[in-house]
Amino acid sequence: MAHGWVCAGDLTVSAAASLTNAFKEVAQSFEKQNPGTKVLFNFGASGALLQQISKGAPVDVFASADQETMDQAEQQGLILASGRRNFVSNSLVLIQPIDSVLPLTSLKDLTQTGVQRIAIGNPASVPVGRYTQHALEGAKLWTALQAKAVN
């Protein structure tokens, strides 16, 4: 949502669930700057939102959590390439239980026998899963760690 838009009526935004808090905050400011405009949200998984749009769901703004889903939307002619903007980026983090005594400081540490399960998003259906898979493939650990993955 760009500053300086002049709108009246409803603006329908389909956005990745990970953007819920930030977008709701931005919407309050946008509505104040554009009296008479109400921002309506549809939050969900990026792939599910793309399916809704491809089946005719009315959307003014689509904000996906990853490039792959936006590429698919563009390939299907569902978005204008000229209107596509990157506005945030992600960072993967390694989180362990607070009571863990395992020294985990790098992805390679996940190969330790003490690490029995690794929770990741499903690479087939969610962007964070694809990010994780790409990071582990880049570190040449994907094959070794797949058996520990829980998604």
Side-chain angles (χ1 to χ4, degrees):
M1 292 180 272
H3 177 70
W5 281 12
V6 177
C7 297
D10 295 341
L11 181 66
T12 304
V13 178
S14 284
S18 58
L19 299 170
T20 301
N21 292 340
F23 271 35
K24 284 183 176 180
E25 187 176 316
V26 169
Q28 290 176 354
S29 175
F30 184 84
E31 289 173 351
K32 284 179 186 172
Q33 293 175 15
N34 296 276
T37 300
K38 177 75 177 151
V39 180
L40 306 174
F41 287 109
N42 178 27
F43 292 109
S46 296
L49 295 173
L50 177 61
Q51 287 180 358
Q52 291 172 6
I53 295 166
S54 71
K55 292 179 180 174
V59 175
D60 297 304
V61 176
F62 176 45
S64 171
D66 69 330
Q67 296 292 338
E68 287 180 44
T69 303
M70 292 305 291
D71 291 344
Q72 290 173 21
E74 189 173 328
Q75 290 163 4
Q76 294 175 36
L78 300 172
I79 63 169
L80 297 173
S82 62
R84 185 174 171 176
R85 301 287 183 272
N86 295 331
F87 60 93
V88 294
S89 62
N90 286 312
S91 296
L92 287 176
V93 294
L94 182 60
I95 301 171
Q96 67 190 87
I98 197 165
D99 59 352
S100 175
V101 294
L102 294 173
L104 300 178
T105 58
S106 72
L107 291 177
K108 187 168 174 45
D109 293 337
L110 295 173
T111 62
Q112 297 175 48
T113 56
V115 176
Q116 297 176 5
R117 291 182 309 275
I118 303 167
I120 67 169
N122 185 338
S125 60
V126 295
V128 72
R130 289 190 287 275
Y131 302 152
T132 302
Q133 180 177 351
H134 295 315
L136 292 174
E137 285 173 344
K140 302 201 182 327
L141 297 171
W142 178 247
T143 303
L145 295 175
Q146 272 187 292
K148 295 181 179 188
V150 178
N151 37 33

